[in-house]
Amino acid sequence: MRIFVTGATGFIGSAVVQELLGAGHRVLGLARSDAAAALLLAAGAEVHRGSLDALDHLQRGAAESDGVVHTAFNHDFTTFVANCQTDKLAIDALGAGLKGSGRPLIGSSGILVLPSDRLATEDDVPAAVIPRLSESSGLAQAAHGIRAMAMRLPPSVHGDGDHGFVPHLITVARQQGFSAYVGTGENRWPAVHRLDAARLYRLALEKGVSGARFHAVADEGVPVRQIAEAIGRRLNLPVVSKSPEEAAAIFGFIGHVLGMNAAASSKLTQDRMGWHPTQPGLLADLEHGTYFDPR
């Protein structure tokens, strides 16, 4: 298949590109700059110039492909609501390009929008008050004759090159002189290695059914205190508890996320798709990966 991938040079998208190429698929990657285009060509992919707000380009890229993997999203939380609207319009444009074809469209969303009082499953529905509409907008495309699916990602998708939540915790720990967690630190974060997540995207493209929700989850829930302790141990810094208010002042938006409980299961995904994570877990990656290498 020829697959159109948005976010194709990003941390997750680039792993998806390599996974698809390695399985014999062709990839058409969205590139908004010459540098991104050069990276795609070097990887062996084709280039489609455009951006998330160039809706006609997105529609054309989808129409010229056998399926779409949508991983792009602007994670600038200072403009989060506007970014969510841009994402919705982008999904609608991708859907317009696939309309009536029965071809696959995989959108990306998150575990954090699910119930937090228990182990969340694929059958849980996101909270209606969340401004990000990636999942609902993507799955709604099924009504237009598209094999629409949702990939839910945990707050930590880890591996070499990670620039998300955990690297931010490490940076703040270095700046503050301590590694912090919120309250007792018993709240849990799910996690997955980027290569395991990429393999699940491919499996979903190849055999996922319309309307399916997948959990790209390897670690069901790592206690946040253990994450803070691993960071403190590697940086030789004290590990301290902070109140939610103190965490917000220290970490900004991520301080709120740091105190959230988001444990989630991927049992249904593993059973249905034959997907079984094989890469190191988050704590092992912190101990033996490249998170603390000089940058």
Side-chain angles (χ1 to χ4, degrees):
M1 293 191 290
R2 185 182 194 235
I3 306 301
F4 183 37
V5 180
T6 71
T9 58
F11 178 62
I12 298 171
S14 60
V16 172
V17 168
Q18 290 296 339
E19 174 70 25
L20 292 173
L21 292 171
H25 297 291
R26 296 164 59 201
V27 172
L28 179 66
L30 183 68
R32 62 180 179 179
S33 68
D34 291 341
L39 287 173
L40 287 170
L41 289 173
E46 303 170 60
V47 174
H48 185 78
R49 294 301 294 260
S51 62
L52 281 187
D53 52 8
L55 301 182
D56 56 335
H57 290 200
L58 294 179
Q59 182 173 342
R60 188 169 68 252
E64 295 174 352
S65 301
D66 299 311
V68 174
V69 173
H70 178 49
T71 69
F73 187 81
N74 183 348
H75 287 92
D76 181 353
F77 292 107
T78 64
T79 56
F80 184 64
V81 174
N83 298 343
C84 291
Q85 182 60 23
T86 297
D87 185 53
K88 181 186 183 304
L89 293 175
I91 291 169
D92 288 343
L94 294 169
L98 297 175
K99 186 175 181 179
S101 68
R103 288 173 284 174
L105 167 61
I106 302 178
S108 304
S109 63
I111 298 292
L112 289 177
V113 300
L114 301 179
S116 60
D117 58 343
R118 53 182 167 76
L119 196 66
T121 76
E122 294 86 340
D123 292 334
D124 285 313
V125 177
V129 297
I130 301 298
R132 185 170 179 180
L133 303 174
S134 305
E135 181 169 317
S136 58
S137 298
L139 292 179
Q141 302 302 321
H144 304 298
I146 297 168
R147 184 159 56 98
M149 297 164 279
M151 186 69 67
R152 292 172 174 170
L153 298 167
S156 177
V157 180
H158 57 91
D160 293 349
D162 184 2
H163 52 269
F165 285 142
V166 170
H168 184 72
L169 299 181
I170 293 170
T171 297
V172 172
R174 285 185 165 123
Q175 293 170 344
Q176 297 290 329
F178 56 78
S179 180
Y181 56 90
V182 178
T184 64
E186 295 176 356
N187 59 300
R188 297 191 296 157
W189 274 14
V192 70
H193 195 282
R194 66 193 287 257
L195 299 182
D196 283 325
R199 183 158 46 87
L200 182 55
Y201 274 102
R202 176 179 61 79
L203 291 172
L205 276 170
E206 292 174 347
K207 60 181 183 179
V209 299
S210 187
R213 299 179 176 94
F214 303 109
H215 278 193
V217 170
D219 293 317
E220 287 189 345
V222 181
V224 171
R225 180 169 182 164
Q226 292 185 17
I227 298 173
E229 288 171 344
I231 293 171
R233 184 164 53 251
R234 289 299 305 269
L235 296 179
N236 196 27
L237 293 174
V239 181
V240 300
S241 170
K242 295 294 180 181
S243 69
E245 295 75 18
E246 290 172 326
I250 294 169
F251 293 100
F253 173 81
I254 292 179
H256 172 66
V257 176
L258 192 64
M260 294 178 67
N261 188 61
S265 168
S266 61
K267 184 179 186 305
L268 293 177
T269 295
Q270 294 193 42
D271 290 347
R272 293 167 180 169
M273 304 303 293
W275 173 76
H276 303 289
T278 61
Q279 298 296 320
L282 175 57
L283 293 178
D285 217 358
L286 282 170
E287 291 291 347
H288 305 293
T290 62
Y291 279 90
F292 300 93
D293 291 353
R295 297 186 183 274

